Amino acid sequence: MTLAGPRTHAEASRQSRDLASGEVRPRETMIRFVAGPDNQVVPDLAGRLPGRGLWVAADRVSVETAAKKGLFSRSARTALKASPDLAAQVEVLLLRRLLDGLGLARRAGDLVTGFEKVVSTVGEGRAAWLIEATDGAPDGRRKVLSALRRASPSPGLAGLWTGEELSLALGGENVIHTVFLVGRGADRWAFDVQRLSGFRPLVPESWSDAPAPAPGSSDPAQGV
């Protein structure tokens, strides 16, 4: 079903038509692609590369459909080459973009790390996102997730990187538990989390004790 039309010019400028479905959607829920110098379809997650934007809904099926059916070429009215693994490329780029975003958040003072501090921050309702290392000890994770369930409002949950990856990104040692504090930075970061959720689960399937990820106030349609 097509989303309701924009009410103002500003709203119209933030919406585009999805190549895969034909629906008009908020750009925050989509991936922008452009034609590279060799006519290769290139993901443009930041929306800054030159050239006409080719927009696709931010989910694996939509990107794969656009690539397989030649929808990029049809929209651009020229022959473009879309790699068969285009959706996988988008997933990898989103993961890197989100991890880089955590590094920026640390420098801005928007992150809290360490078991005790994380549990306390979650309990105080100051956590927008709980980021747990995928290879952390199950006992510690259960205790943190227990605090998450009791929190109001409940923060979002992301289990996307190993402790080593988080440690390298955040410049710490043995980073397992991290909180992204409530604020505009967390809201912006959540846009890419929402897009990534169309390509992979936000937590490992083995986390049977994990609550369903709930982004809380991070609805991308609300704007930054």
Side-chain angles (χ1 to χ4, degrees):
M1 182 174 61
T2 302
L3 301 179
R7 293 185 297 274
T8 67
H9 177 74
E11 288 181 353
S13 69
R14 295 194 296 270
Q15 297 191 5
S16 288
R17 190 172 300 278
D18 169 27
L19 297 188
S21 68
E23 295 180 354
V24 175
R25 302 170 57 98
R27 289 184 175 180
E28 291 88 348
T29 67
M30 306 177 77
I31 305 293
R32 182 179 188 261
F33 297 86
V34 297
D38 57 354
N39 281 346
Q40 189 77 31
V41 176
V42 177
D44 177 25
L45 301 186
R48 296 173 182 170
L49 293 178
R52 178 191 172 192
L54 305 168
W55 295 85
V56 181
D59 65 77
R60 184 175 300 277
V61 172
S62 295
V63 174
E64 289 179 345
T65 297
K68 290 177 180 178
K69 293 188 175 181
L71 301 183
F72 293 106
S73 295
R74 185 183 304 175
S75 178
R77 297 182 179 178
T78 189
L80 298 180
K81 294 175 286 187
S83 172
D85 68 345
L86 189 60
Q89 292 179 29
V90 173
E91 178 183 342
V92 170
L93 290 171
L94 281 170
L95 281 166
R96 170 50 56 185
R97 181 175 169 86
L98 283 165
L99 196 57
D100 290 344
L102 290 180
L104 292 174
R106 180 194 63 79
R107 291 190 285 275
D110 290 336
L111 296 187
V112 172
T113 61
F115 177 80
E116 296 294 343
K117 291 181 179 179
V118 163
V119 170
S120 176
T121 303
V122 169
E124 293 166 359
R126 296 192 296 123
W129 284 90
L130 172 63
I131 299 106
E132 284 285 297
T134 56
D135 54 352
D139 184 57
R141 183 174 65 247
R142 281 194 295 269
K143 292 176 181 177
V144 174
L145 294 183
S146 177
L148 182 147
R149 292 188 189 90
R150 297 192 301 270
S152 181
S154 179
L157 174 62
L160 298 166
W161 303 281
T162 65
E164 181 179 3
E165 289 172 320
L166 288 172
S167 298
L168 287 172
L170 303 183
E173 294 184 5
N174 196 32
V175 177
I176 302 298
H177 315 285
T178 304
V179 154
F180 204 137
L181 296 173
V182 170
R184 293 178 64 84
D187 291 341
R188 288 190 292 268
W189 193 75
F191 292 151
D192 284 328
V193 178
Q194 186 71 18
R195 294 198 292 178
L196 178 64
S197 69
F199 295 86
R200 60 170 295 167
L202 296 182
V203 299
E205 294 181 1
S206 60
W207 288 11
S208 58
D209 55 345
S217 61
S218 59
D219 181 358
Q222 294 179 359
V224 178

